[in-house]
């Protein structure tokens, strides 16, 4: 969430307040230390109750908002709200003592995350895969400790894990704030190594007028997504896999989908110069993000030409509020290298980075603290953040790019405020009860 806030507010808005974020990060870390250190004198019970009540309120709000939506957004918000309610009940020991159940759930969550991280790091070999694998083994060790009830009994599982979560969150926030301190005024976040992937060039900082939040010609920025599910013929139904990774046909071919970006005369569509032959037998070799899988690439000139040769895009996400100068600066730098890698430098990578560049600083002129609070309570900021974390630990795919860009669109182009959504939900309930 902190990285997305950096993008949406721009570097300068947060650099001026780095001390506040650094202090909040340290305070959060110290609260986690206090919760773990005071497991035996009752202070952790108070912290657990306060945290549980906060999660209970957030879970109820998510369920109310989720009931007013439809599709994948409804499923995500309802699932997130239900998960928060379950976690809140574990913290509050409602309706009975949940110590054993909490230990099993935490152990299962740690084990699942650990196995996914280890498997993905060994399979994809993305940049930094060794660090991700070490974190995965750490998750498995934590799961083992919770199952064996050593060194802590069942009654201390919840406050212990709560303390660890507070410590980790505080460290991430403090580390990010410390990096902000070293940024010179006017720095582009796209030029910081933290935000660049392998092969990416530093993005220059153009001189942008104050009213450059929208393009001068009024053309919207459109993200086109061709999903693998709709491109594959006679596919084998594989839930989630064909939505987020690839679709398999009964003949053995693999379809990954495609993503492109259009803004007036600017068109970003990255393809390998020679079509890659991907089958069920060589898929594992092709997805490794190594230099051996780098291929010469090419940039298609127009959406009309691409749609005529294939088919119209499945989804189109339009942005009318964005920074055209930053988008153009990113494209002029990125297009200098056309190297294509199915995992680390593909069509989804360039489009998501282009969207990040175009949305940098779109909230810079808004009231900072009020807007930041709204972001923290916005379900889509957590959907976008979780999608980004998952994509960077595996690979950006058209399915993940669709979820990420759609969430950013809803954040930057809100149609309804929370009060309107709740009023709509009450009217919906009244109509069906009558």
């Amino acid at each position: 969430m902190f990285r997305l806030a950096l993008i949406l507010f721009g570097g300068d808005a947060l650099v001026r307040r780095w001390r506040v974020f650094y202090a909040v990060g340290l305070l959060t870390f110290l609260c986690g230390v206090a919760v773990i250190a005071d497991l035996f004198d009752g202070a952790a019970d108070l912290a657990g109750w306060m945290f549980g009540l906060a999660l209970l309120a957030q879970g109820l709000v998510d369920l109310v908002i989720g009931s007013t939506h439809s599709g994948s957004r409804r499923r995500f918000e309802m699932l997130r709200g239900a998960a928060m309610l379950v976690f809140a009940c574990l913290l509050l020991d409602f309706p009975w003592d949940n110590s054993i159940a909490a230990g099993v759930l935490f152990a299962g969550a740690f084990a699942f995350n650990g196995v996914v991280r280890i498997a993905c790091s060994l399979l994809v070999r993305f940049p930094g895969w060794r660090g991700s694998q070490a974190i995965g083994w750490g998750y498995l060790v934590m799961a083992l400790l919770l199952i064996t009830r050593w060194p802590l009994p069942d009654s201390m599982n919840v406050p212990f894990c709560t303390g660890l979560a507070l410590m980790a969150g505080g460290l991430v926030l403090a580390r990010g704030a410390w990096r902000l301190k070293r940024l010179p005024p006017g720095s582009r976040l796209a030029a910081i190594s933290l935000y660049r992937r392998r092969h990416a060039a530093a993005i220059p900082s153009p001189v942008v007028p104050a009213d450059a939040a929208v393009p001068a010609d009024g053309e919207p920025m459109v993200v086109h997504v061709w999903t693998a599910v709709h491109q594959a013929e006679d596919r084998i139904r594989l839930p989630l896999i064909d939505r987020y990774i690839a679709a398999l046909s009964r003949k053995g071919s693999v379809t990954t989908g495609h993503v492109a970006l259009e803004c007036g005369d600017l068109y970003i569509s990255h393809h390998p110069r020679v079509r890659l032959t991907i089958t069920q037998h060589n898929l594992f070799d092709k997805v490794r993000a190594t230099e051996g899988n780098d291929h010469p690439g090419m940039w298609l000139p127009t959406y009309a030409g691409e749609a005529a040769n294939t088919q119209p895009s499945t989804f189109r996400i339009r942005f009318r509020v964005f920074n055209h100068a930053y988008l153009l600066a990113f494209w002029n730098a990125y297009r200098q290298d056309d190297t294509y890698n199915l995992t680390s430098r593909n069509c989804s990578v360039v489009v998501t980075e282009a969207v990040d560049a175009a949305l940098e600083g779109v909230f810079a002129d808004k009231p900072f603290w009020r807007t930041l609070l709204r972001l923290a309570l916005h379900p889509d900021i957590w959907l976008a953040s979780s999608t980004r974390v998952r994509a960077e630990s595996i690979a950006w795919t058209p399915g993940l790019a669709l979820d990420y860009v759609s969430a950013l669109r809803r954040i930057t182009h809100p149609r309804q405020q929370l009060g309107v959504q709740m009023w709509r939900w009450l009217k919906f309930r009244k109509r069906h009860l009558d």
Side-chain angles (χ1 to χ4, degrees), residues 89-158:
C89 291
L90 293 177
L91 289 173
L92 299 174
D93 280 335
F94 176 82
W96 48 69
D97 184 5
N98 297 307
S99 299
I100 297 178
V104 173
L105 287 176
F106 277 120
F110 282 136
F112 176 78
N113 276 310
V115 170
V116 169
R117 278 185 172 271
I118 293 172
C120 292
S121 63
L122 291 175
L123 174 63
V124 180
R125 302 291 177 91
F126 49 86
W129 68 272
R130 290 184 176 85
S132 181
Q133 187 183 73
I135 294 174
W137 285 111
Y139 279 135
L140 292 183
V141 171
M142 287 296 304
L144 183 62
L145 294 179
L146 290 175
I147 293 177
T148 57
R149 305 175 187 177
W150 182 91
L152 298 175
D154 290 332
S155 60
M156 297 181 183
N157 284 333
V158 172

Side-chain angles (χ1 to χ4, degrees), residues 2-3 6 18 21-22 25-26 168-182 194:
F2 184 66
R3 290 179 63 179
L6 274 174
W18 76 269
F21 290 103
Y22 188 73
L26 287 182
L171 280 177
V172 170
L173 183 57
R175 180 170 173 263
W178 187 257
R179 289 193 175 190
L180 287 177
K181 174 191 174 184
R182 297 178 291 175
L194 177 65

Side-chain angles (χ1 to χ4, degrees), residues 274-423:
V274 178
R275 183 180 178 87
L276 302 181
T277 302
I278 306 175
T279 65
Q280 300 177 20
H281 304 290
N282 66 3
L283 179 61
F284 289 159
D285 293 331
K286 293 292 185 181
V287 299
R288 290 200 169 186
T290 56
E291 293 186 1
N293 280 330
D294 288 350
H295 304 277
M298 63 178 181
W299 310 103
L300 296 190
T302 63
Y303 167 73
E306 183 165 14
N309 290 329
T310 55
Q311 61 186 26
S313 54
T314 313
F315 296 95
R316 301 173 186 87
I317 303 97
R318 288 177 169 82
F319 292 82
R320 292 199 172 274
V321 179
F322 62 96
N323 196 312
H324 188 265
Y326 281 178
L327 174 62
L328 188 60
F330 164 82
W331 174 231
N332 288 334
Y334 195 99
R335 66 186 303 181
Q336 302 304 316
D337 181 6
D338 63 5
T339 301
Y340 183 92
N341 186 291
L342 183 63
T343 302
S344 64
R345 191 179 164 87
N346 56 31
C347 58
S348 303
V349 169
V350 62
V351 169
T352 53
E353 288 193 359
V355 171
D356 286 347
L359 296 182
E360 185 172 331
V362 294
F363 288 168
D365 59 341
K366 296 183 180 296
F368 182 80
W369 295 111
R370 186 174 67 187
T371 307
L372 184 63
L373 178 61
R374 182 178 70 85
L375 280 178
L377 298 177
H378 203 302
D380 283 309
I381 199 73
W382 299 103
L383 173 59
S385 299
S386 61
T387 303
R388 187 188 189 104
V389 169
R390 186 59 60 199
E392 291 181 349
S393 65
I394 306 176
W396 277 106
T397 65
L400 291 173
L402 174 61
D403 287 353
Y404 179 70
V405 173
S406 299
L408 288 181
R409 205 277 178 189
R410 292 190 294 266
I411 294 169
T412 56
H413 298 67
R415 291 184 297 178
Q416 294 175 323
Q417 300 298 323
L418 174 60
V420 177
Q421 292 174 340
M422 295 187 70
W423 175 251

Side-chain angles (χ1 to χ4, degrees), residues 68 420-434:
T68 66
V420 177
Q421 292 174 340
M422 295 187 70
W423 175 251
R424 177 182 170 188
W425 178 79
L426 291 173
K427 289 178 64 178
F428 174 82
R429 294 294 299 171
K430 183 177 183 300
R431 184 169 63 251
H432 281 72
L433 289 175
D434 293 343

